[in-house]
Amino acid sequence: MFWIKKKQQALENLELAELCQIEAEALYRAGKYHCAEAVVEVIRRHFSPDTPARVVHSVSGFGGGSGSGCICGAVSGGTVALGLVLGDEKKLISHLTRELHAWFKEKYDFTCCKIIRQNHKGVCPVLTGEVAGKIAEMLSRK
């Protein structure tokens, strides 16, 4: 019980972006959510808590590159999360989506799930967390 209190105190001291990163990676690793779902769920919890949790099901088809192996599900989920939080701010959503893609490509060279998994074995939980953290960072400075 003591270690739980210490862990909670440590999490409270983290920046929101770091917290989102840790939570999304943990959701993915727990096996309940895949990449897109974990990103949307964490962003929903912290930035749009009044949005029903069932909205996460709307991205269930995005895992594994939307079934075809292309566009990374975490990136797709991040794009959906931006729209979820920002609503009708289409210009801002477009700007932040481009920023997300540029950041991701700089970090992983590609946005194609199949290629990322070939070049970076086992990276999906980590990049899921990183995308959630990046989305949280972008939304926090809005």
Side-chain angles (χ1 to χ4, degrees):
M1 198 69 135
F2 176 73
W3 67 271
I4 292 175
K5 251 187 186 173
K6 275 191 125 174
K7 187 174 183 178
Q8 286 173 337
Q9 288 171 341
L11 289 177
E12 288 171 8
N13 294 331
L14 291 175
E15 294 286 329
L16 183 56
E18 292 173 295
L19 182 60
C20 288
Q21 180 174 347
I22 290 166
E23 288 180 5
E25 183 176 339
L27 288 174
Y28 186 102
R29 288 187 188 279
K32 185 175 179 189
Y33 296 91
H34 64 55
C35 49
E37 294 168 327
V39 171
V40 170
E41 173 59 13
V42 167
I43 298 303
R44 182 197 68 79
R45 284 181 191 173
H46 291 282
F47 290 91
S48 189
D50 293 336
T51 299
R54 70 180 175 276
V55 76
V56 174
H57 300 300
S58 69
V59 298
S60 293
F62 292 168
S66 292
S68 69
C70 227
I71 188 74
C72 169
V75 174
S76 297
T79 302
V80 170
L82 289 170
L84 177 71
V85 173
L86 298 173
D88 61 358
E89 295 183 57
K90 290 181 182 182
K91 285 184 179 182
L92 181 57
I93 294 167
S94 291
H95 170 76
L96 293 177
T97 297
R98 285 190 300 276
E99 181 181 333
L100 174 65
H101 279 255
W103 167 83
F104 192 88
K105 276 183 130 175
E106 185 177 308
K107 192 164 188 72
Y108 291 102
D109 299 319
F110 305 94
T111 56
C112 179
C113 176
K114 191 181 295 184
I115 295 172
I116 293 166
R117 291 190 308 181
Q118 286 172 352
N119 295 345
H120 305 278
K121 300 276 186 222
V123 74
C124 292
V126 172
L127 72 79
T128 296
E130 289 175 343
V131 169
K134 180 65 175 174
I135 297 295
E137 178 256 307
M138 291 190 299
L139 290 170
S140 293
R141 69 170 194 254
K142 172 190 126 14

